[in-house]
Amino acid sequence: MSGMASDPNNSSQEEYIPHHLQKEDPFASKLSREADIIAGFYLTVIGILSTLGNGYVIFMSSKRKKKLRPAEIMTVNLAVCDLGISVVGKPFSIISFFCHRWMFGWMGCRWYGWAGFFFGCGSLITMTAVSLDRYLKICHLSYGTWLKRHHAFICLAVIWAYATFWATVPFAGVGSYAPEPFGTSCTLDWWLAQASVAGQVFVLSILFFCLLFPTAVIVFSYVKIILKVKSSTKEVAHYDTRIQNSHILEMKLTKVAMLICAGFLIAWIPYAVVSVWSAFGRPDSVPIQFSVIPTLLAKSAAMYNPIIYQVIDCKFACCRPGGLKAKSSLKKSR
């Protein structure tokens, strides 16, 4: 507490302080200086690659914004979320790792926590919408006949409203944002679950609506797609070339979506497991040195998607310079 009293930014802090911060400076790094420097360089590389990759996707998409298909619109929204995480959030943590402590006080901590949760939730819900789009497109063919661009924009409005609601709920007094145990980053206050029943309800609600339910929808969608593809591969072989080409394109789009979702979940599930363990396990049962690894892995999720776009030749014009011609010829052939 004495370390906190020396920080002028602490005057605005809430009365509740997580149990792991009550006896020491909450913003002092609990890692060695060498570990902080390594983490800072790691996040710098991740941040640069993510900003360049997602910025490129958005830039190329802006050149043909009036021609984007509904599925591509959702992909661009995912790039916007990933770019937001890289531009708004990562500089705070990078500076703090290099300075060996969180440098932006409680207000900066809350802003960083909100921004990370807002864009992270937006990414997951966008992927949920994409998985539903792929499921309906592949398993219910009539769906593709009525889906238009304005439906995609309505979906985007719902996604942003959903992310805004859950990211802002902690400011309504039912939750909070707090420093991570290692001190140089901030997140949702998972430790509220150890303080009260209301805190447990808050944490469980966040876990269900912002992780478990969207993940269940994604898994359900792609399991149904895999089963449908296995049963329909022989049928497509009997169709004419145009229908076969359309099927190939839809399957490439689906592969991209599946890889994006898999990369996101692989990056975030370890962090979710550690957070749940911290919330409902024994106090201080997660070693501080161990808790930083899932956090760094989760922060790398925004870098994967542009790489996936390039690895899979999905004929997205927003993914490569020659895509405009490919897309034009594909539309003519269809």
Side-chain angles (χ1 to χ4, degrees), residues 34 59 65 68 71 87 91 109 115 161 173 226 232 235 260 267 276 324 330-331:
E34 292 77 13
F59 172 73
K65 56 186 176 183
L68 293 176
V87 173
C109 181
I226 292 172
S232 63
E235 298 177 7
I260 289 172
V276 172
L324 288 171
L330 177 64
K331 283 193 172 183

Side-chain angles (χ1 to χ4, degrees), residues 19 190-191 193-195 200 203 273-286:
H19 71 88
W190 302 104
W191 302 271
Q194 298 183 1
Q200 294 177 0
V203 170
V273 171
V274 171
S275 298
V276 172
W277 188 264
S278 299
F280 297 100
R282 292 183 296 103
D284 305 320
S285 57
V286 179

